[in-house]
Amino acid sequence: MAIITTRNLHYQYRDDDKGRPYALKDVNLELEPGQFYAILGSTGSGKSTLLQHFNGIYQPTEGQIQVLDIIFEAGQKKKGLKGLRSRVGLVFQFPEQQLFEETVEKDLMFGPIQFGSSQEEAREAARTALAEVGLPAELLERSPFELSGGQIRKVAIATVLASKPELLVLDEPTATLDPVSRKELIELLQRLRREEGRTVVMVTHRLDEVFCYADQFVLMKEGTVTFVGSKEQLMDAPERLAEAGIIEPAVMTLALEASRKTGIPAREMPCHLEEWVDWLCELDVLKGAVNEKAEQSLHTDREEAPAAAGFKHQESAAKAVQTVHTGEEG
């Protein structure tokens, strides 16, 4: 069963301008539990507006959205959403703005206490959440504002995890972080999905940082969803990225170019750069083996059909390998 379902969802910001365009238009989505979703789009595409429907901050102008077992219908304003917000953890674009207590421990305890936990239960939840994001327990007594940028982001995520949400929703959580901290944060989200079965939904405009980690990709443009699918499906339709104003990641460009020159499907190419090193080394071994076999075949009786056929096959394979290394087709 889907954890989030939208049906013809429209949203229009309320103001005096009745002719203001819809921020969301006819959005139809089904997000399954236990998956890592990346929602991508350029500025103004509606991705952050959609995200804030997931815990009821915004509610439909038209259409419907169901989050877990809560249904939001246009024209029927729901209140009393404390229970839902304990199950859907929302991390805003600059999550350090969510921190306000004197110590990390107090910040982490705040959510569980608000949702009914005792002091001791909240303290234990704080320690568990901090460990989940890979930070040491000694930080509990520190002020959150004494930490590094990467640590502050992890603490902000831990404040949400402390309430044990079923769905973790993040709005551009890597904004302003350095490359190392961005990578650590994305790997943390993937680990939460893989090892703990959490459902993760992350909004970003940087496909390169989630391309090798997300299970499913949602592309948005001008308030509409233009694509939903896996990495493999996205690689089969790269034109969708340009349509949504998303820059194609370098590793995807490399895979598509290597596929064009070798005939190997792009979806079978490596994703991480370190995997490319191993893959190219394997091609080197293959190239050596093929060349050696081809050399041996030159000394066999050309009238032996199997040997001749084998040589032709090996020669073709050698040419395919050559194109990866030289970029030239023989």
Side-chain angles (χ1 to χ4, degrees):
M1 180 179 175
I3 196 167
I4 292 177
T5 303
T6 70
R7 294 283 182 263
N8 308 116
L9 175 64
H10 292 69
Y11 183 76
Q12 185 179 40
Y13 286 101
R14 297 180 183 277
D15 58 19
D16 294 332
D17 181 7
K18 300 300 183 182
R20 184 170 182 171
Y22 282 88
L24 294 177
K25 295 176 285 188
D26 199 26
V27 173
N28 292 279
L29 273 178
E30 287 192 1
L31 305 186
E32 299 295 330
Q35 297 285 296
F36 183 168
Y37 287 90
I39 301 180
L40 300 109
S42 58
T43 301
S45 62
K47 53 191 188 297
S48 295
T49 303
L50 175 62
L51 215 64
Q52 293 184 58
H53 278 74
F54 293 174
N55 74 346
I57 293 178
Y58 295 150
Q59 297 186 25
T61 302
E62 298 176 26
Q64 177 192 96
I65 178 171
Q66 179 170 348
V67 183
L68 300 169
D69 55 354
I70 307 297
I71 298 175
F72 295 90
E73 297 270 9
Q76 301 177 19
K77 184 73 172 180
K78 278 193 179 296
K79 297 182 179 180
L81 297 174
K82 190 174 182 179
L84 176 66
R85 290 169 181 166
S86 70
R87 301 167 67 191
V88 179
L90 178 59
V91 180
F92 290 98
Q93 184 170 357
F94 297 104
E96 52 268 27
Q97 296 175 0
Q98 296 176 227
L99 306 177
F100 54 88
E101 291 283 8
E102 296 176 353
T103 67
V104 168
E105 183 177 52
K106 288 182 179 180
D107 257 319
L108 295 178
M109 291 175 62
F110 181 81
I113 288 173
Q114 293 300 305
F115 294 130
S117 295
S118 66
Q119 287 283 332
E120 190 55 41
E121 290 170 337
R123 188 168 287 109
E124 181 60 30
R127 290 181 175 275
T128 299
L130 198 66
E132 280 186 300
V133 299
L135 293 178
E138 51 261 33
L139 294 186
L140 287 168
E141 299 306 316
R142 297 267 300 275
S143 165
F145 306 106
E146 296 175 356
L147 307 181
S148 69
Q151 288 175 324
I152 288 175
R153 293 292 167 90
K154 289 180 180 179
V155 168
I157 292 173
T159 64
V160 173
L161 294 177
S163 299
K164 299 180 175 60
E166 298 169 49
L167 173 62
L168 182 61
V169 180
L170 308 100
D171 190 359
E172 305 250 19
T174 61
T176 73
L177 291 182
D178 62 83
V180 173
S181 296
R182 284 204 305 266
K183 186 172 186 291
E184 288 179 350
L185 191 54
I186 299 299
E187 289 177 344
L188 164 64
L189 298 178
Q190 188 193 44
R191 179 170 57 79
L192 291 172
R193 195 279 300 166
R194 185 179 61 247
E195 297 180 6
E196 301 185 15
R198 307 256 188 182
T199 304
V200 177
V201 181
M202 173 180 162
V203 157
T204 182
H205 63 276
R206 297 178 57 102
L207 178 56
D208 60 312
E209 68 184 10
V210 293
F211 185 67
C212 297
Y213 298 96
D215 300 302
Q216 295 284 315
F217 299 86
V218 179
L219 302 184
M220 298 189 67
K221 179 181 180 181
E222 297 177 353
T224 64
V225 172
T226 60
F227 173 89
V228 181
S230 65
K231 172 168 65 71
E232 291 75 19
Q233 291 170 317
L234 189 59
M235 293 180 78
D236 288 342
E239 68 280 0
R240 295 297 187 93
L241 294 177
E243 293 171 1
I246 300 298
I247 297 174
E248 185 176 287
V251 70
M252 181 174 173
T253 303
L254 178 60
L256 292 172
E257 183 65 12
S259 176
R260 186 182 68 81
K261 292 185 175 182
T262 65
I264 300 172
R267 60 174 56 206
E268 296 179 13
M269 300 289 180
C271 192
H272 297 278
L273 288 178
E274 55 269 26
E275 294 173 345
W276 272 96
V277 174
D278 293 338
W279 189 76
L280 290 171
C281 287
E282 289 175 5
L283 286 183
D284 267 331
V285 172
L286 173 62
K287 180 181 179 181
V290 169
N291 287 342
E292 181 181 354
K293 189 67 175 177
E295 185 68 25
Q296 292 173 357
S297 297
L298 289 174
H299 297 89
T300 62
D301 187 348
R302 292 177 180 270
E303 294 180 358
E304 294 181 10
F311 172 72
K312 290 179 181 178
H313 174 74
Q314 293 146 4
E315 185 181 46
S316 298
K319 288 180 178 179
V321 174
Q322 180 185 18
T323 60
V324 175
H325 293 275
T326 66
E328 298 176 358
E329 299 184 17

